Amino acid sequence: MMLYEELVIAGFGGQGIVLAGKLLAQTAMRAGLEVTYMPSYGAEVRGGTANCMVIVSDKPIACPVVCTPNALVICNKASLSKFAPRLKPGGVLIFNRSLIQSVSSVPDGVEVLGVPAEEIAIESGSPKCANMVMLGAYLGKRAHLSPEQAAASLPEILAERHHKTIPMNAAALRRGADFVLCHA
Amino acid sequence: MCGNEALAEAAILAGCDAYFGYPITPQNEISAYLAHRMPAEGRVFIQSESELAAINMVFGAAATGKRAMTSSSSPGISLMQEGMSYLAGAELPAVVVNVMRGGPGLGNISPAQGDYFQATRGGGHGDYKTIVLGPASVQEMADCMLLAFDLADQYRITVEILADGLLGQMMEPLTLAPRPHRPLPAKDWALTGHAGGKQNIIRSLWLGEGALEEHNKKLQAKYRRIEENEVRCEEYRLDGAEVVVVAYGIVARIARAAVDQGRQEGIPVGLIRPITLWPFPSRQIGRAADTFPVVLTAEMSSGQMLEDVKLAVAGKAPVLFYGRMGGGIPSADELLGQIRELTLSKKQV
């Protein structure tokens, strides 16, 4: 099976978009896959838009810039209108239903999946781990890596002072995946 | 690891003794990383008060025979040009990293390749050159750094690593290992302060009659040696190619995707990627132009390397250009569109 997955994770600064992307990249690398990770960088620390592009493949990756993603993880409304029109047919759009009520302007042939990320995050221990719920949902949908593999990479991605949150983040990853498996 | 961090760790592996720098996006990860790694290794890290100070601190440290470097991004590199000219005049080995952003002026913080002329033509005043390396991956950010200090020491020259914001920020897996040093000449010219030893003078001022011309001749002879021995480039899928793309840095990565896609569609297209931007792989490109009908240069600028490609091709084939500016990044689809058009127009002729 050939794997070539171009993912964009987008939301606003402070939602942990970049962290989720880094975690996926690290997890893919640990699994022996080829991976590139490209964040938007600069002024968008909190409040502005933030996004990152992750390509995971079983072959060397030529171009690290994603123009037409086959998967989107969208955490706020502004990012939805920016990225949804670029989705490839046959792709999947996973959106944060806690912040986005309805989804329009999605290309034909795209699977759309709403995840109540904030609610699941609160159940997992903190609304702050909504990013992990969304990443978990993505991993549940695209089965090339498991939420447990991602959880195992958390210590390498989180600063040491945050390591006490690892169990909570691991639970959020699992719950995100479970939500998709139950509702898909 | 992001490209900036890979480069910074490679500087540690390369035995960099001293880093001096002033913050600017998109290269801050280099100084942030070295701010803790250099002192941990017992080496020197100084955040200077300005770019001018940084490059002159590099001059001072290099004069003592230590491996010294600085890093910045486009506007900061402009500020360093006076010091780079002095480094060239004094023949001091140094490494300067430019993680390019959009210009002119303060521009923006997006990736760009608008400093090609500045880097490859010397940049400051006087007849001089710096070796310019153009990495195209996180792995090469590290590899170029490891190579840079050796080249600098071997030729007593400044080596500039010309990357861009995208390469600096993106992450990819990489393998970091010290490379075997090439045999390097002893630094018997350095100012080491030993009493009773021979007197060394480091200077770029030559007032004696004819002295500066002699000095310039010596520099030029060195540059010719470098042109003879240090050209590096990658040739990709040139077999039977009718269109050859020439691109460096991150644009070469994007072009590679376009070439792969084009080949899948049956378009005979290949890629030449200069790794040394000076010395430029003119011979390789000239040779290619003998065989291939059309050359397409792609850059994140209005066409700077284009001039070197045209000189290399020397009229043997049409040289076309596709560029984006001010932080715009060409997509593989855009490049492929250009390649398709070229193939089509060729068929009509």
Side-chain angles (χ1 to χ4, degrees), chain B residues 81-90 117-130 204 206 212-213 215-217 219-220 223-224:
Chain B
Q81 290 305 323
E82 181 198 44
M84 290 176 71
S85 172
Y86 278 54
L87 282 165
F117 279 149
Q118 185 192 56
T120 57
R121 267 56 175 173
H125 61 280
D127 256 339
Y128 76 94
K129 291 284 189 187
T130 54
S204 69
W206 300 81
L212 184 56
E213 185 162 30
H215 180 57
N216 267 283
K217 281 181 183 163
L219 291 180
Q220 291 302 322
Y223 300 152
R224 298 296 89 75

Side-chain angles (χ1 to χ4, degrees), chain A residues 22 25-26 29 33-39 41-44 61-65 67-68, chain B residues 25-26 109-111 165-166 169-173 250 253-254 256-257 260 329 331-333:
Chain A
K22 274 188 193 170
Q26 186 77 6
M29 186 179 80
L33 293 165
E34 298 285 343
V35 60
T36 63
Y37 159 89
M38 175 64 205
Y41 58 88
E44 50 277 273
I61 299 159
C63 173
V65 183
C67 295
T68 49
Chain B
T25 305
I109 59 170
S110 299
L166 213 160
Q169 297 293 325
M170 69 183 273
M171 291 188 181
E172 280 182 306
I250 198 65
R253 286 284 288 272
I254 299 168
R256 204 181 167 100
D260 286 343
I329 305 168
S331 69
D333 284 346

Side-chain angles (χ1 to χ4, degrees), chain A residues 77-108:
Chain A
K77 191 135 196 169
S79 309
L80 181 68
S81 44
K82 183 172 174 189
F83 290 104
R86 304 188 197 171
L87 256 174
K88 265 189 202 133
V92 60
L93 166 67
I94 301 174
F95 70 97
N96 180 355
R97 209 167 70 194
S98 312
L99 291 180
I100 304 167
Q101 281 73 43
S102 62
V103 167
S104 55
S105 70
V106 176
D108 291 342

Side-chain angles (χ1 to χ4, degrees), chain B residues 12 67 71 76 102 127 136 153 174 207 212 235 247 257 321 324 349:
Chain B
I12 300 277
R67 287 192 155 182
S71 64
D127 256 339
D153 280 350
L174 81 158
L207 289 177
L212 184 56
E235 298 181 349
F321 178 71
R324 295 282 303 270
V349 177

